[in-house]
Amino acid sequence: MLVFKPGHSLWMPHGYRLADEVAGEWGFQCEDAGGRRLKVFERIALAIWLTRHWSAEELLAFEAEHTDLGHRVVGMRAGAKVLLGNEWARLDAVGIALLLAVADAPGRRRDPWCFPDGIRTRRDWILKRMRETGVLSPEETDTALRTPLALALRPSEWEPCPIPGQQPSE
């Protein structure tokens, strides 16, 4: 099956998306280290190479460790500790869905303490998709949807939440 990836003019198979994101991340790391930006055909070639030499688990693990959660929190392991006060390996579906919701939120709206309603809405949407794909049973989904956000204490070094009604910077 082919899907359209927003921001790209290419139609791509589902499995290619992860490889493309890993190739993109490598390109950013190369550029940050003083190298040149990958050209489009180089990124495509690297992504194709990755689909042939990395397993789906390796691609997912790389993406999980490089996901930006805002406030200089990078990676799901770090996110589990900072946002939930827990170890990544001990998270249940609700915790994983919460981290994915934070990663999916735009800009400052990634802060679940400042924008809990938006994060909860995103988390619940992810939980419902987990049910549709068979990861959660209907009963588990109903229980998960009733679960509060259960956040750790907000890090004191983070800038304060915007004043209600004030437009946050993205």
Side-chain angles (χ1 to χ4, degrees):
M1 173 185 243
L2 296 177
V3 294
F4 180 73
K5 181 177 181 185
H8 287 270
S9 60
L10 300 173
W11 289 83
M12 62 182 70
H14 280 295
Y16 181 82
R17 183 193 64 80
L18 275 175
D20 181 58
E21 289 187 16
V22 170
E25 179 60 33
W26 278 1
F28 291 135
Q29 288 178 5
C30 180
E31 203 173 337
D32 288 346
R36 67 172 175 77
R37 171 171 278 206
L38 286 180
K39 294 178 181 173
V40 172
F41 71 88
E42 291 172 323
R43 181 174 170 160
I44 292 169
L46 177 56
I48 291 169
W49 183 89
L50 286 166
T51 64
R52 294 179 181 168
H53 296 281
W54 279 30
S55 68
E57 291 81 11
E58 290 169 318
L59 290 167
L60 284 168
F62 184 92
E63 183 177 39
E65 284 306 308
H66 293 87
T67 298
D68 183 359
L69 298 169
H71 294 283
R72 293 190 296 274
V73 177
V74 177
M76 294 296 182
R77 290 177 202 276
K81 286 181 184 176
V82 172
L83 301 175
L84 302 172
N86 207 340
E87 294 296 322
W88 168 253
R90 301 186 78 182
L91 293 184
D92 59 5
V94 176
I96 291 169
L98 178 67
L99 291 179
L100 291 171
V102 169
D104 187 42
R108 289 236 10 236
R109 294 191 182 276
R110 288 183 179 168
D111 190 328
W113 291 276
C114 296
F115 302 98
D117 294 337
I119 295 298
R120 179 185 265 293
T121 299
R122 288 173 194 275
R123 181 204 69 175
D124 292 354
W125 183 87
I126 292 167
L127 289 167
K128 290 172 186 174
R129 298 301 78 73
M130 292 170 96
R131 177 182 172 194
E132 289 173 6
T133 59
V135 173
L136 295 175
S137 71
E139 296 79 21
E140 290 170 322
T141 304
D142 291 340
T143 300
L145 292 171
R146 288 191 305 272
T147 303
L149 292 183
L151 298 166
L153 291 176
R154 187 172 192 274
S156 60
E157 67 273 10
W158 288 13
E159 62 185 76
C161 292
I163 298 168
Q166 178 184 351
Q167 191 69 1
S169 59
E170 293 298 323

